[in-house]
Amino acid sequence: MKREAQNLLQKVDEKSEKCTVGCPILDRILNGGIPTKSITEVVGESGSGKTQICLQLVLSAQLPPSHGGLNGSSLYIYTEYPFPIRRLKQLSLSLLSSHPNHLLLSSSDPLSRIILRGISSAENFVELLPDIELCLRYWKSRLLPIRVIVVDSIAALFRSEFGNCCFDLKRRSSLFFKISGGLKSLAERFGLVVVVTNQVVDFIEGNESVRIGNFSELCSSGRRVCPALGISWANCVNSRIFLSKDQTGIKITRFSSLLFAPHLPLSSSQFVIFYIISRAGHRFGFGLKP
C-alpha cells in the first residue's frame, strides 16, 4: 500500500510543471525543479545561498519550458532591507549572456518582469493577500503572467513582536495558517511556484527525540541548528530544502539537503556560489554550479 501511494505521488509529480533554479544539481534533487501548486521552503543560516536561489528562480521563470522556465513573470516579496537590487541586476546580465538567442529576453529588460514588494509585519502580509490575487488576475492577461511568488524571508515577520505567552503563541499560529493557506490557495488556482525562505536557530540540547524531516539533526558552520518558527510552521509547507555551509579559512563549502517532500526521496548535494568575470576582468555577476 505504501509503495502504491509513493508510485502515485511520483506520477503526479512527473505531470506537474516545474521551474529550474539555475543549478543542475539542485534541479536533480527536486526532480526537475521547484513544482507549481505547492509551497517550497528554503531554510538556512545567513550566507548559505537562500536569496541567491530565489533571485535566480525569478529570472529563470522567464525562460520557456524547453529551457526549464515557465514563460512567466514573478512577484518577489521581501521582508529584510535593503533588497539586493544590485545582485539581481548582475544576475539578469548573466541570464542574458547565457541565453543570447532567446527573443523574449533580448527584446526587453528581464527586471521589468519582476515585481518587488516590501512588507514589515505578518499582519501586513495577510492584508496584502487580496491585492496579490488582483495582481495575479491583472497579469494573467498580459504577455507573461505571474507564475512565481517568492517570500524572503518568512521568519523576519515573526522575529520580535511575539512573546512566549499563550495569547502570542495562538496569534502567531493563526497568522501562520492564514499566510500559508492564502499562498496555497493562490498556488493551486493560478498554477504558481511559491517559495519562502526561513532562517535557522541554534538547537537547544536536551530534546534528543526531535526529528526534522529526513534528518535526525542539522548542522551548519560547525553548530547544530534547526529551522525557525517551530513545528507549527513546518506543517504549513509542502517541501523543505535545507542549505548549510562549512568554512575553512577563506573557502566556503555549501550543501543542500531535501528534508521532506511528499513526492521525493531523501537526497543531498554540494553546490558553489561563484562569480562571473568579464573579459576586462571585472566581476559582474553570480551564479550557482555543482
Side-chain angles (χ1 to χ4, degrees):
M1 188 69 178
K2 183 178 179 180
R3 180 171 294 181
E4 291 177 358
Q6 290 177 338
N7 291 336
L8 179 60
L9 286 171
Q10 289 177 355
K11 289 180 180 179
V12 172
D13 175 60
E14 291 172 358
K15 294 180 180 179
S16 65
E17 289 184 284
K18 299 182 180 69
C19 185
T20 176
V21 296
C23 174
I25 291 294
L26 294 178
D27 284 342
R28 187 154 58 245
I29 287 179
L30 296 166
N31 196 27
I34 298 179
T36 59
K37 300 184 178 182
S38 66
I39 298 179
T40 300
E41 181 192 61
V42 180
V43 58
E45 67 171 308
S46 176
S48 60
K50 303 186 301 296
T51 297
Q52 179 74 34
I53 288 175
C54 291
L55 295 177
Q56 290 203 180
L57 175 69
V58 296
L59 289 168
S60 298
Q62 301 177 29
L63 296 171
S66 60
H67 288 71
L70 294 171
N71 264 338
S73 302
S74 302
L75 172 62
Y76 200 113
I77 300 171
Y78 59 96
T79 64
E80 297 181 289
Y81 300 82
F83 177 80
I85 187 65
R86 181 182 177 186
R87 199 190 324 175
L88 181 60
K89 290 179 178 178
Q90 292 169 330
L91 283 170
S92 69
L93 294 176
S94 174
L95 180 73
L96 290 170
S97 65
S98 60
H99 297 83
N101 298 322
H102 188 4
L103 296 178
L104 193 56
L105 291 177
S106 59
S107 62
S108 61
D109 184 2
L111 299 185
S112 67
R113 294 183 284 274
I114 301 173
I115 304 170
L116 302 178
R117 177 64 186 266
I119 57 173
S120 56
S121 71
E123 286 84 358
N124 290 154
F125 200 155
V126 174
E127 294 170 356
L128 183 65
L129 288 171
D131 294 337
I132 293 176
E133 180 169 356
L134 289 176
C135 185
L136 291 170
R137 294 188 184 279
Y138 170 73
W139 278 76
K140 189 175 182 179
S141 61
R142 305 191 65 174
L143 179 61
L144 288 182
I146 294 175
R147 299 297 310 278
V148 173
I149 294 179
V150 168
V151 182
D152 185 19
S153 74
I154 191 68
L157 300 177
F158 298 91
R159 182 175 294 158
S160 59
E161 59 179 281
F162 294 89
N164 291 323
C165 65
C166 292
F167 174 77
D168 278 348
L169 291 175
K170 183 178 179 180
R171 184 165 69 98
R172 191 178 79 152
S173 294
S174 175
L175 289 168
F176 284 168
F177 298 133
K178 287 180 180 178
I179 291 172
S180 62
L183 289 174
K184 283 182 180 178
S185 176
L186 294 174
E188 292 173 357
R189 287 187 288 133
F190 292 92
L192 307 176
V193 165
V194 176
V195 172
V196 300
T197 67
N198 193 5
Q199 298 163 1
V200 297
V201 295
D202 288 332
F203 182 83
I204 300 175
E205 298 293 337
N207 191 2
E208 300 300 327
S209 63
V210 173
R211 181 177 175 85
I212 306 167
N214 288 320
F215 292 80
S216 59
E217 64 179 58
L218 304 175
C219 293
S220 186
S221 294
R223 72 185 201 276
R224 192 172 177 186
V225 299
C226 63
L229 306 182
I231 193 67
S232 295
W233 173 253
N235 289 325
C236 293
V237 300
N238 301 102
S239 307
R240 171 174 278 174
I241 303 167
F242 174 63
L243 303 182
S244 61
K245 65 178 183 178
D246 183 25
Q247 184 167 358
T248 305
I250 62 173
K251 180 182 179 182
I252 300 178
T253 304
R254 293 175 173 86
F255 300 91
S256 62
S257 303
L258 182 67
L259 297 190
F260 61 78
H263 57 288
L264 296 173
L266 164 68
S267 58
S268 62
S269 68
Q270 179 180 333
F271 69 97
V272 176
I273 295 179
F274 66 96
Y275 298 107
I276 300 169
I277 309 298
S278 68
R279 291 182 179 178
H282 300 296
R283 188 174 66 185
F284 73 92
F286 304 80
L288 296 170
K289 69 179 182 180

